[in-house]
Amino acid sequence: MTNLVLVSAPPHPDATLQRTAAQADERVLRLVREERPHFEIDGSTLRAYGSYLGLELWSAENAFGSQCLMAVERSKNLFSEAGCAPPPADLFIDVSSWGDAFDGHPGEGIIRFFLRGATVDAYIYFLPGAD
Amino acid sequence: MERRPPPSDAERELNELRARAYGPDPDIGSDPAALARLVELEAAHVADRAPRPRREFRAPPAADASQTAPPVTADPAAHQVVPPGVSMDEAPTVTSSINSWRSLWRRATVTRSRRISFIAAIVVGALLGYAVTEVLGPHPDETLHPTATAAKDRVIQLMAAIGVDGDLSTLRGFERYRDVEPWSVVDAEGRRCLMALDLGRTTGPPSPEGWPRGILNAQCVPPGTELFVDLGVWPAFNDAYTEGLPDGTIIRFRLREDAVHVFLYPAPEAD
C-alpha cells in the first residue's frame, strides 16, 4: 500500500479553505446522523472549513479510523456529497452541477474538494460547451 | 570593478525555473516538462562551470580501495559486516562502493558553487521523482482490461435508470474485481462516466452469471478530469464485494485510457 498522491491535481487550487473554529450546529449533526448513518461519523470530531460557492465543508473521523469529508448544502438541508477514506488514501469528493443538488457551480461541471490536513483545496472543472 | 556579462537566455531560463523550484511558493512539482528542463539546464550549468578534468577519473581497484580507505567509525554503514562463511577477502566491494560515494561527495562539494549545484540537483531529482510519481500515480492493486460481455442490454437499462444518457458506441465493460464490474461511457453532453456494477454472486437473490444486479456507484466528470469511483465497505450493508474486507475499507476505481485501475485501501484494524 502506498501513501503517494493518487490524484494529479492542477498546480493551484481555485480556493483553499482554512479550518475555522466554528462548532457543528444541530442541523449538521442531524445530517451526519441521518444522511450518512453508515459512515458512523463521530460528531464530536466535526471540523469546519467555511463555505465555498454555497457549500459548507466539514471533516470528521469515523468509527473505522477514517477521515470523512462532507459538503453541506444548507439551504436544501442535505449533503451534496460526502466520502470517507482510511489513511493513506487521498480523501476528496466531487460535487457536480448535475445530480448533487448543487446550483453554485459558476458554469457546468464539478468541484473537487480535497482534504489536506488543516485546509480543504477546491478545484473547479468546467464542462466544455455548456452554458 | 568587474562587470558581469548580461545573462544568456539559458541563464535567464534557469533562474526562472530555479525560482519555481526553490522559491517561496514552489510549483514546479506539478510541471514535469519544466522539471525536466530544469534538470537539463542544471546539468549543463554544472558542466560549464566545472573545471575540465586533466585525465579520466578511474576508480581504484577494489582491493586497493579497501586498503587505503580511512577508518570511519561514525558511519555504521562503513563497517563491513561479513556473513558467516565469507572471508574478509570476499567483501571489499562494499568498502569500494562507499569510497566511491565519498569521493563523489568530496568532488561534488569541494566549492560553494558546486555544493549549491549538487544540492540543487538532489532537490530537482527528488522533485522530478515526485512529479513522475504524481503523473503516473502509484501502482494499482489491480488493472482491469476491457472485455466483451453479453450483458450490454442490461447495462443500458441500468444506465438509463440512473439518468445517464450514454453514447452507446462508447460503452465499455471491464474485467471484474470482487463481484464488481466497471463500465465506462461518454454521455450526450461529453461527460466521461464510470459506473461500478454489482454482480452480486455471493449474496442476495441469484442472478444469471454475468448479469449485473444494479449500479453500486457512478460518477461523471468533464473531459480531461481524472475519474474515480469509490466503493465503501460498511457493516450496515451486505454487499457481495465487501466479503472478507474490514469495515471502513474503500475500493477506489480509476478510469484510464484503456483500463480501470483498482486501489484497495483497507481500514486500520480495530483495537
Side-chain angles (χ1 to χ4, degrees), chain B residues 25-77:
Chain B
D25 187 20
D27 69 344
I28 203 166
S30 58
D31 187 346
L35 263 175
R37 180 65 176 149
L38 177 56
V39 171
E40 182 185 346
L41 290 173
E42 288 284 12
H45 183 73
V46 171
D48 284 346
R49 286 172 172 263
R52 298 282 180 253
R54 290 181 184 157
R55 61 182 177 185
E56 186 182 359
F57 172 78
R58 288 180 186 275
D64 292 345
S66 67
Q67 290 166 7
T68 58
V72 178
T73 55
D75 180 5

Side-chain angles (χ1 to χ4, degrees), chain B residues 128-189:
Chain B
L128 184 60
Y130 178 80
V132 168
T133 301
E134 180 151 331
V135 170
L136 299 179
H139 193 70
D141 294 287
E142 294 277 349
T143 296
L144 311 179
H145 300 284
T147 181
T149 173
K152 211 166 190 173
D153 289 347
R154 171 67 171 157
V155 176
I156 294 168
Q157 283 178 8
L158 293 171
M159 196 169 64
I162 63 167
V164 173
D165 181 14
D167 173 353
L168 299 185
S169 68
T170 66
L171 186 61
R172 285 191 305 173
F174 295 85
E175 294 169 318
R176 300 167 184 182
Y177 178 79
R178 297 185 69 94
D179 278 331
V180 177
E181 195 170 71
W183 283 74
S184 71
V185 73
V186 178
D187 77 0
E189 304 293 326

Side-chain angles (χ1 to χ4, degrees), chain B residues 202-221:
Chain B
T202 54
T203 61
S207 59
E209 177 66 23
W211 193 251
R213 290 150 36 88
I215 295 180
L216 294 160
N217 197 3
Q219 184 66 267
C220 297
V221 298

